[in-house]
Amino acid sequence: MQLLLQAPDAIATGGNHFPLAFTLVYVVGFIAAVTIGSIAWYNSKRPVGWESKERPDFVPKVEKEETPGLGEPKS
């Protein structure tokens, strides 16, 4: 209970700062997750209603392998 009473005082006096490095890691991680998720979504099977839509230019085309991870490497 004492901790809950001290929290508003610490915020009001400015004694508790969240490190900038943690904030940057969260922001960069969020942007990376959205970017990677968008690429994966565009390369997956299209949802209903999106079958005829064009792929955006900035999304790379990823080719599927017939047997990924199996057999001899193709060279």
Side-chain angles (χ1 to χ4, degrees):
M1 183 67 171
Q2 186 68 13
L3 180 64
L4 293 175
L5 295 174
Q6 290 175 353
D9 184 44
I11 292 170
T13 58
N16 218 357
H17 292 290
F18 197 70
L20 178 63
F22 289 136
T23 305
L24 290 176
V25 166
Y26 290 131
V27 169
V28 170
F30 177 77
I31 291 170
V34 169
T35 302
I36 293 169
S38 296
I39 291 171
W41 182 80
Y42 278 116
N43 283 315
S44 68
K45 183 179 176 186
R46 305 288 176 152
V48 175
W50 285 77
E51 295 91 352
S52 63
K53 301 295 179 193
E54 291 293 321
R55 177 185 308 276
D57 294 334
F58 61 89
V59 177
K61 177 71 175 164
V62 178
E63 298 295 330
K64 289 185 178 181
E65 296 179 17
E66 289 183 23
T67 55
L70 300 175
E72 305 254 343
K74 297 177 184 177
S75 52

